[in-house]
Amino acid sequence: MVVEEFLTGPEVSVLSFVDGKVVKPMVSSMDHKRALDGDKGLNTGGMGTVAPNPYYTPAVAEECMKTIFLPTIEAMQQEGCPFKGCLYFGLMLTPKGPKVIEYNCRFGDPETQVVLPLLESDLLKIMMSTTDGTLADTEVKFADGAAACVILASGGYPESYAKGKEITGLENGQIPGAEAVIYHAGSALKDGKLVTSGGRVLGVTAKGADLPEALKKAYAACEKVSFENAHKRSDIGQRALKALQ
Ligand code: GLY
């Protein structure tokens, strides 16, 4: 009996729309789960993401569709529990081919912060089609280009960290004039002030014609936001850039 198998290889997150029978994967993404640069430190919920994931080539995508996505959907149908909604495939591209590390019946965080900004089709129509069973006839189109998300976290996360630190640099939750969107995760309004209220506080996301441009914009936006003992990784996207070379 195999209790545990040690797998190695690049990880890829593939969120996908499913209507019970049809599966349409979204643009692939790469999470950065460790707290510190160089993939060091403790595992976190995710310190940043980029999309698309350069390891997820068209050939890998085809293999995943054949050996993982379709068999998963078909097995759930056969068991009388057809899946409808967003299914998250957490994959590892091992020397023996793509393997599933985890399934989640939800969007990923912070994968969604880079995947949905690249979606050109109407999200509501797609989500409706997953419940109506009409996904096959519904357009799911993603833009060319890339997106990057850098997480601004409370120092100490994922272990103990302080809350209630004032966040400056934002107006109405966004950075005025920046080419980036701020997704709020661990922030709160207290006595009219924006303060930290969690480990992963803000997701700073930018799009670009390519990954270097997206990363440049996201990191430039991060410089405009501050709170005491803020922590971010400074190497989000570096592994993806190396893979692209
Ligand atoms: N980023 C990992 C997850 O959403 O599970």
Side-chain angles (χ1 to χ4, degrees):
M1 181 172 68
V2 176
V3 176
E4 207 172 67
E5 189 182 359
F6 185 77
L7 300 175
T8 57
E11 286 187 52
V12 183
S13 302
V14 182
L15 316 183
S16 59
F17 296 111
V18 187
D19 73 351
K21 300 180 295 285
V22 171
V23 52
K24 290 198 177 178
M26 300 179 218
V27 64
S28 61
S29 55
M30 180 190 286
D31 195 1
H32 297 67
K33 294 211 169 80
R34 298 283 176 167
L36 306 175
D37 283 2
D39 292 325
K40 302 231 162 45
L42 295 173
N43 233 2
T44 70
M47 293 299 293
T49 37
V50 297
N53 185 324
Y55 290 104
Y56 194 71
T57 61
V60 172
E62 201 183 320
E63 190 178 356
C64 289
M65 180 57 85
K66 234 186 271 168
T67 61
I68 297 173
F69 304 161
L70 288 174
T72 300
I73 303 311
E74 282 161 14
M76 281 192 281
Q77 243 182 300
Q78 279 159 16
E79 286 186 8
C81 326
F83 183 85
K84 295 182 174 191
C86 174
L87 188 57
Y88 169 133
F89 296 93
L91 307 173
M92 187 171 269
L93 308 182
T94 78
K96 287 190 201 157
K99 306 275 182 190
V100 177
I101 300 292
E102 59 176 332
Y103 289 110
N104 291 306
C105 302
R106 57 165 173 81
F107 282 88
D109 173 13
E111 284 91 339
T112 312
Q113 289 91 317
V114 287
V115 168
L116 289 189
L118 294 173
L119 180 65
E120 287 184 334
S121 312
D122 186 326
L123 177 62
L124 180 60
K125 267 194 199 150
I126 300 171
M127 295 307 290
M128 295 300 286
S129 77
T130 65
T131 57
D132 297 346
T134 54
L135 184 59
D137 306 321
T138 306
E139 181 195 66
V140 178
K141 190 169 176 292
F142 285 86
D144 293 332
C149 174
V150 178
I151 297 295
L152 294 180
S154 301
Y157 170 79
E159 294 184 298
S160 61
Y161 51 83
K163 292 185 185 176
K165 302 294 176 191
E166 186 175 354
I167 304 169
T168 57
L170 303 183
E171 264 174 41
N172 295 322
Q174 296 298 318
I175 306 172
E179 290 179 283
V181 175
I182 309 296
Y183 293 97
H184 288 251
S187 68
L189 276 174
K190 196 172 168 208
D191 303 327
K193 282 186 182 163
L194 191 64
V195 297
T196 64
S197 68
R200 291 186 295 163
V201 180
L202 304 170
V204 180
T205 300
K207 290 194 286 184
D210 53 22
L211 183 57
E213 188 186 335
L215 286 166
K216 196 171 160 198
K217 286 184 190 169
Y219 274 108
C222 287
E223 292 310 311
K224 300 186 175 176
V225 184
S226 57
F227 54 87
E228 194 185 310
N229 209 15
H231 166 67
K232 65 176 181 307
R233 273 183 62 162
S234 61
D235 65 345
I236 300 301
Q238 291 307 309
R239 203 153 24 95
L241 288 176
K242 268 196 201 116
L244 285 168
Q245 278 163 9

